[in-house]
Amino acid sequence: MTSNQYAPTDAPPVGLEGERSDPAPAPVVGEPSDGRTVASADEPEGAAETAAPERPDEPEGPRFADLDIDPRVLRALSDVGYESPSPIQAATIPPLMDGRDVVGLAQTGTGKTAAFAVPILSRIDVSTRQPRALVLAPTRELALQVAEAFGKYSAHIPGLQVLPIYGGQSYGVQLSGLRRGAQVVVGTPGRVIDHLERGTLDLSNLDFLVLDEADEMLTMGFQEDVERILADTPEYKQVALFSATMPAAIRKLSGKYLHDPVEITVQSKTSTASNITQRWVQVAHQRKLDALTRILEVEAFEAMIVFVRTKQATEDLAERLRARGFAAAAINGDINQSQRERTISQLKSGQIDILVATDVAARGLDVDRISHVVNYDIPHDTESYVHRIGRTGRAGRTGEALLFVAPRERHLLRSIERATKQPLTEIPLPTVDDVNAQRVSKFADSITESLAAPSLSLFRRLVEDYASEHDVPMADIAAALAVASRDGEAFLMEPEPPPSERPRRDKDRDRDRDRDRPGQGGRSGGSKSRSGVEMATYRIAVGKRHKVVPGAIVGAIANEGGLRRSDFGHISIRPDHSLVELPADLSRETVDALKRTRISGQLINLQRDSGPPSSSAPKKRKRD
């Protein structure tokens, strides 16, 4: 066993690449600035971390053995099965091996980590314990991934130590690692600054500096921290800067701190992996939970990530899924690192099967058993969609991606299809019969499994004694035990009520009049729609003086709220406002969207109607 160590041991690996959440266009080969050498390469986005698969119809490219890499690093690459470098690795490793500074423009997932780790490990001095290479990463997840990659590629370099330092982990572990000495330090800017100010991190002998996901670091507000760190490093060092885009701030940073860099651009040919089946289903916002529940019951999956937009939504949805008997947990930006690592460990081990997450919280998540990704809330940019579904189909497996699309979100679906150049297949929502058939099948499977239980003979004797004593058929006893195991819950899903015949307009008008009279209960809610959904009365700030008609109200609210015509009850148009019956369980997101909806140019400001204002003043008698 070598003396190489990946420290600290309490920080488990979570993948090989980080993830961006902000939209960034694919870089394009352009004219270099004066004095820069430019190389370009084409690579499919989402390629493997280090090795691109060989294609028989394309000319064979260089192999790692052709790039003058240290034999010990080559051996480590061979151990993990890598032979041929990806385009960015083939273009980046030679100039870095020659000691040149490099600017690499490439999207996440193109194998950048090996592109800078392999040449650094081939040239690093391990005779001292002082930091010789520093890699700055925007997130702790990416820092852990990069540190793990360095640990793998240095498996046959005795004495080399790799230490990740990041926020969210105790200083004690990091201080111990720094005292022991580490030649490679991978850290987030904030924590690196902390150690510099404490005097616990010495960068005076640094030979290599890497800025990974540089544009992300600047977007997150780390520009001053990055420049502060650069100012503490020796003037003569080798610098590699990797970024998905080249905004003016990155160009300025490159010009100030890099010396005559080689600029390498990798263009993406495709956005989504071919081993991921992409489907979509149309579902209104307020029916998403029911739709997801049906899919979970009918679809065979190993583990699943469900993406939502907000932190609160992760907690709410995970709690509702647990209430329905699913092993679900939430991760978001508010949970601490130890809790995040514990949750991911439970997902890997099978203690939980469903992870409800936001884009930011799922960055860098790499769990092989994730077979499905569900976009519960459709992303507003195509790059987020690509990164989301990239959480499945890992390690050569196939994956399934499902997208929930509300009627008013069809344009976002079209944008995703145009950007990925891959049409998504529409599927129908599982019916009640589909769900019930699956429940019956699982019930039969549970009987078959229980027949092999070692305690079967004991319970058979007890059941036989009960049948003999009470003269009850065995089938009735088995059915009673099955009912008891359900704890009072219904076994089969109730069929959906058939839509009733639409009432005549004159009846609607009569009901509108009646519901406004005292004692009719119109405003207090409690009524139900024709499909049995509990309804409530909502007030909108448009009325007769805005020249609105019922059709305009239905059309605007249905379009913006993702509702169907059958979700509407009575509509009463008043002089300066209107009352509309809608489902009582409208989500917070739907209500917020409807508050911003306009009808006839007027904000409707939808809110629950609280009834007529109380007044102690007596009403004046109207003259005859």
Side-chain angles (χ1 to χ4, degrees):
M1 178 177 292
T2 69
S3 59
N4 173 59
Q5 181 180 357
Y6 167 50
T9 56
D10 64 339
V14 285
L16 291 176
E17 282 294 343
E19 179 171 336
R20 297 175 49 83
S21 62
D22 58 312
V28 181
V29 177
E31 291 296 327
S33 58
D34 293 340
R36 293 179 181 268
T37 306
V38 180
S40 65
D42 288 335
E43 175 174 339
E45 183 177 336
E49 162 62 17
T50 56
E54 295 183 354
R55 301 176 178 86
D57 57 338
E58 295 182 3
E60 185 177 354
R63 301 168 71 86
F64 282 114
D66 303 327
L67 301 180
D68 198 27
I69 297 170
D70 186 291
R72 296 170 297 179
V73 180
L74 273 178
R75 182 181 169 193
L77 293 174
S78 178
D79 289 346
V80 292
Y82 301 148
E83 294 181 355
S84 301
S86 66
I88 192 172
Q89 294 158 6
T92 303
I93 290 175
L96 287 177
M97 292 292 295
D98 290 340
R100 299 283 304 275
D101 287 359
V102 167
V103 174
L105 299 179
Q107 299 287 352
T108 296
T110 51
K112 297 191 298 291
T113 304
F116 59 77
V118 167
I120 287 175
L121 292 173
S122 296
R123 303 175 57 224
I124 197 167
D125 179 11
V126 296
S127 62
T128 67
R129 291 286 185 172
Q130 294 176 319
R132 294 289 184 175
L134 172 65
V135 182
L136 291 179
T139 66
R140 57 195 179 192
E141 288 81 16
L142 184 55
L144 283 168
Q145 295 159 28
V146 172
E148 183 204 5
F150 268 95
K152 287 198 306 182
Y153 306 148
S154 63
H156 301 293
I157 303 179
L160 188 130
Q161 302 289 323
V162 183
L163 178 68
I165 57 176
Y166 53 89
Q169 186 190 43
S170 68
Y171 280 97
V173 174
Q174 297 173 9
L175 291 172
S176 298
L178 289 169
R179 281 195 295 267
R180 287 194 303 267
Q183 294 89 352
V184 178
V185 175
V186 186
T188 53
R191 186 52 65 96
V192 170
I193 288 285
D194 288 345
H195 282 289
L196 288 175
E197 292 178 346
R198 287 167 174 252
T200 52
L201 177 61
D202 180 12
L203 301 179
S204 60
N205 292 294
L206 203 69
D207 296 320
F208 309 97
L209 175 64
V210 179
L211 304 178
D212 197 10
E213 304 280 4
D215 54 347
E216 182 74 9
M217 281 192 278
L218 267 57
T219 299
M220 295 171 68
F222 288 133
Q223 181 165 354
E224 290 185 6
D225 289 346
V226 169
E227 297 209 30
R228 159 80 168 81
I229 294 167
L230 287 166
D232 272 20
T233 59
E235 180 181 357
Y236 297 103
K237 61 185 176 298
Q238 188 176 10
V239 182
L241 184 154
F242 289 89
S243 178
T245 59
M246 183 60 86
I250 295 293
R251 180 70 72 185
K252 181 179 178 181
L253 194 70
S254 170
K256 185 175 181 180
Y257 294 102
L258 277 69
H259 301 285
D260 188 26
V262 178
E263 190 170 303
I264 297 166
T265 300
V266 174
Q267 290 185 320
S268 300
K269 292 180 180 178
T270 60
S271 296
T272 55
S274 58
N275 61 330
I276 301 176
T277 301
Q278 301 175 62
R279 300 172 294 168
W280 71 278
V281 59
Q282 179 166 307
V283 55
H285 283 290
Q286 69 273 17
R287 287 185 167 80
K288 283 184 178 180
L289 180 59
D290 174 63
L292 179 60
T293 304
R294 294 190 188 194
I295 288 168
L296 292 175
E297 291 210 46
V298 172
E299 190 93 2
F301 69 95
E302 187 174 359
M304 175 184 294
I305 299 184
V306 180
F307 281 100
V308 294
R309 288 199 189 101
T310 65
K311 299 173 186 177
Q312 185 61 44
T314 63
E315 301 288 351
D316 293 344
L317 183 56
E319 183 178 351
R320 291 184 178 189
L321 290 174
R322 287 193 295 268
R324 285 161 174 76
F326 299 103
I331 59 169
N332 55 59
D334 287 345
I335 69 172
N336 58 46
Q337 182 67 9
S338 61
Q339 183 181 350
R340 172 192 167 86
E341 292 171 358
R342 183 167 58 252
T343 301
I344 294 174
S345 177
Q346 292 173 335
L347 182 67
K348 289 180 177 180
S349 65
Q351 292 176 267
I352 61 174
D353 298 321
I354 303 169
L355 197 63
V356 186
T358 56
D359 287 328
V360 173
R363 284 178 184 171
L365 187 63
D366 187 4
V367 179
D368 288 346
R369 67 183 291 260
I370 295 173
S371 60
H372 286 62
V373 168
V374 173
N375 287 277
Y376 191 84
D377 292 332
I378 189 170
H380 287 290
D381 63 273
T382 56
E383 187 173 340
S384 292
Y385 173 79
V386 171
H387 286 311
R388 285 180 177 188
I389 71 171
R391 300 305 102 197
T392 186
R394 316 285 281 191
R397 294 182 166 200
T398 59
E400 299 283 341
L402 185 61
L403 179 68
F404 282 4
V405 182
R408 65 185 178 93
E409 296 171 334
R410 295 289 290 270
H411 66 286
L412 295 174
L413 169 66
R414 301 296 170 238
S415 297
I416 290 172
E417 290 181 323
R418 284 194 301 269
T420 60
K421 299 181 177 62
Q422 290 184 325
L424 278 67
T425 304
E426 183 178 8
I427 62 169
L429 195 64
T431 65
V432 172
D433 290 340
D434 295 333
V435 174
N436 287 340
Q438 193 66 23
R439 290 182 181 181
V440 170
S441 176
K442 289 179 180 178
F443 178 69
D445 291 341
S446 68
I447 294 175
T448 303
E449 183 178 349
S450 299
L451 286 173
S455 57
L456 183 68
S457 58
L458 168 63
F459 287 104
R460 179 190 293 116
R461 186 173 65 255
L462 294 175
V463 169
E464 288 173 346
D465 291 345
Y466 183 92
S468 175
E469 180 180 351
H470 297 276
D471 192 24
V472 178
M474 299 285 282
D476 289 349
I477 298 175
L481 293 173
V483 170
S485 69
R486 298 288 300 174
D487 195 22
E489 295 182 8
F491 176 61
L492 297 179
M493 182 180 286
E494 292 291 332
E496 294 176 339
S500 60
E501 198 172 4
R502 186 175 180 85
R504 294 194 306 271
R505 290 189 178 182
D506 57 343
K507 289 186 177 180
D508 282 345
R509 285 194 296 269
D510 291 341
R511 287 172 181 166
D512 283 341
R513 274 198 308 272
D514 291 341
R515 61 190 292 274
D516 295 328
R517 295 173 184 164
Q520 297 301 317
R523 291 179 186 237
S524 61
S527 62
K528 292 188 176 182
S529 70
R530 295 186 300 275
S531 58
V533 176
E534 193 73 26
M535 303 292 280
T537 302
Y538 294 82
R539 179 190 179 101
I540 60 176
V542 290
K544 291 179 180 178
R545 69 184 182 88
H546 302 104
K547 300 180 180 179
V548 298
V549 295
I553 294 174
V554 172
I557 294 179
N559 184 52
E560 294 300 321
L563 305 177
R564 297 184 298 189
R565 303 275 171 166
S566 58
D567 293 324
F568 289 80
H570 305 302
I571 297 177
S572 178
I573 301 177
R574 310 298 178 81
D576 61 347
H577 69 278
S578 298
L579 301 175
V580 185
E581 275 194 347
L582 297 171
D585 61 346
L586 288 180
S587 67
R588 187 185 312 164
E589 182 183 355
T590 300
V591 172
D592 290 342
L594 291 176
K595 285 181 179 178
R596 300 187 296 270
T597 299
R598 292 179 181 270
I599 300 177
S600 300
Q602 176 78 17
L603 277 174
I604 68 173
N605 192 26
L606 178 135
Q607 54 187 319
R608 278 285 189 102
D609 182 47
S610 57
S614 60
S615 175
S616 58
K619 293 183 179 180
K620 293 183 179 180
R621 180 179 298 177
K622 186 181 293 185
R623 292 184 178 180
D624 293 335

